[in-house]
Amino acid sequence: MSNDPRSAAAPGPGGASRTEAAPRQHLDVRVRSHAMVPVRRLSLDDVSRRSGLHPDLVRRFVGLGLVEATRDARGELRFAPTAPATLARIQRLRAGLPLNYASIGLVLDLLDRITELEDALRRSNTGSRRDESWI
């Protein structure tokens, strides 16, 4: 006889099939709501000061799509807390490669994609014994 409560028909004695009512399991599901804590957005002045760049240059990067920003109710730019690190990365690429700012956007996209692929590779090889120090 089967121990699977999902089976509706189980063989009876002598191989004959008999129908049994499967016991229904009731799940007690509780949904808890948690208050979302808003992430503090940085102003243009904060980002400019932390990155050491002129506010006009930061605005130019926003216009080129190199750094993301939103506008608040007053129309002022607001940045994620990671914006100064992104701006530092842009400056390192600009200093190290003979590229203009517009083409640095492509390099940033490619570097982000490489990082995503490396993370996916690490996740897919979890538990393997291969040496992945090159990643």
Side-chain angles (χ1 to χ4, degrees):
M1 193 154 150
S2 173
N3 290 335
D4 187 5
R6 293 175 291 179
S7 64
S17 177
R18 63 184 168 97
T19 304
E20 294 179 1
R24 297 200 90 175
Q25 296 178 350
H26 296 283
L27 298 176
D28 185 19
V29 178
R30 296 178 190 199
V31 178
R32 295 183 181 151
S33 62
H34 297 283
M36 298 290 292
V37 177
V39 175
R40 183 177 177 274
R41 308 286 287 180
L42 301 174
S43 69
L44 177 62
D45 291 335
D46 291 336
V47 170
S48 178
R49 188 175 54 254
R50 291 181 185 187
S51 63
L53 299 175
H54 193 276
D56 290 339
L57 185 56
V58 176
R59 281 190 200 94
R60 182 174 178 201
F61 289 157
V62 171
L64 290 170
L66 297 177
V67 65
E68 293 183 25
T70 58
R71 296 212 178 256
D72 62 8
R74 293 181 293 188
E76 296 178 5
L77 290 174
R78 293 292 175 183
F79 298 86
T82 57
T86 302
L87 291 169
R89 188 177 189 195
I90 292 167
Q91 290 301 100
R92 284 192 309 273
L93 286 171
R94 176 78 166 115
L97 298 173
L99 300 173
N100 61 21
Y101 287 123
S103 57
I104 286 179
L106 176 62
V107 173
L108 288 172
D109 290 342
L110 291 173
L111 290 173
D112 289 342
R113 181 66 180 145
I114 289 169
T115 301
E116 290 173 12
L117 291 171
E118 286 175 343
D119 290 344
L121 182 62
R122 279 191 193 95
R123 283 191 305 273
S124 70
N125 289 333
T126 302
S128 70
R129 296 181 185 212
R130 296 185 337 189
D131 179 33
E132 298 172 4
S133 59
W134 61 272
I135 297 178

